[in-house]
Amino acid sequence: MNPEFRFFGSVEEMMEQFPLLKLLTPGLDQHSTTQMLREMIQSGYRMLGLFEGSTCLGLSGIWVATKLYSGKYLEIDNFVTHPDYRSKGIGKLLIEEIERIAQKEKCKVIMLDAYTVNTEAHRFYFREGFVVKGFHFIKTL
């Protein structure tokens, strides 16, 4: 396997990976996802994919911003590995590339949210050196 990293250049390229994104958030529909991605890109969202030929093995969205408690940070968002390629090191390769990007961007930390029920993801992030810092609260309006 000789995978390569690619940034998606447009919403249309991101939407080619809609089935992977839907694995994380099953309630997504194509129209609203397209609209949300357009808004997210305007706020600095980027999406990175790891490809073998034309097959996307895994992907992650990233944002770079600053918060008072952390300083400049890179946030991982929508991190997913294709089901056929799980437990093959794809996630680790993505995290390593994201760390390189964060260092290049002079970020102090990398942060992410993971659903509380996603214990498989928790184990992965712990193995990759992440720690639980707090709770992420939401209030649906």
Side-chain angles (χ1 to χ4, degrees):
M1 188 178 343
N2 189 20
E4 67 172 320
F5 289 102
R6 297 181 207 156
F7 272 106
F8 295 89
S10 65
V11 170
E12 291 73 26
E13 286 179 327
M14 291 178 187
M15 285 302 295
E16 289 175 12
Q17 306 310 320
F18 181 73
L20 275 179
L21 293 172
K22 199 166 169 75
L23 290 174
L24 290 173
T25 311
L28 289 177
D29 67 75
Q30 289 188 327
H31 177 73
S32 63
T33 302
T34 299
Q35 294 304 111
M36 286 186 283
L37 286 171
R38 283 194 176 109
E39 290 176 26
M40 292 162 67
I41 287 169
Q42 290 177 2
S43 297
Y45 182 80
R46 295 180 281 167
M47 189 180 285
L48 174 70
L50 182 59
F51 284 82
E52 180 72 64
S54 62
T55 303
C56 184
L57 309 176
L59 59 84
S60 180
I62 60 171
W63 313 73
V64 174
T66 303
K67 292 187 180 191
L68 291 174
Y69 76 87
S70 66
K72 191 172 184 182
Y73 69 94
L74 183 147
E75 181 177 354
I76 293 173
D77 194 23
N78 304 311
F79 188 99
V80 63
T81 301
H82 190 292
D84 294 345
Y85 298 94
R86 292 190 178 148
S87 298
K88 298 184 186 309
I90 302 304
K92 184 170 187 56
L93 290 172
L94 275 167
I95 290 291
E96 289 170 353
E97 184 65 14
I98 289 167
E99 286 180 10
R100 281 190 281 278
I101 293 166
Q103 290 169 347
K104 181 179 175 189
E105 296 274 347
K106 299 190 181 354
C107 295
K108 294 182 177 187
V109 297
I110 298 172
M111 61 178 75
L112 61 96
D113 288 330
Y115 293 123
T116 54
V117 297
N118 195 347
T119 56
E120 190 175 320
H122 302 167
R123 283 192 300 275
F124 169 75
Y125 293 124
F126 285 136
R127 274 195 317 269
E128 294 304 314
F130 289 83
V131 298
V132 176
K133 178 76 173 173
F135 294 100
H136 181 91
F137 290 91
I138 65 168
K139 181 177 181 178
T140 303
L141 304 175

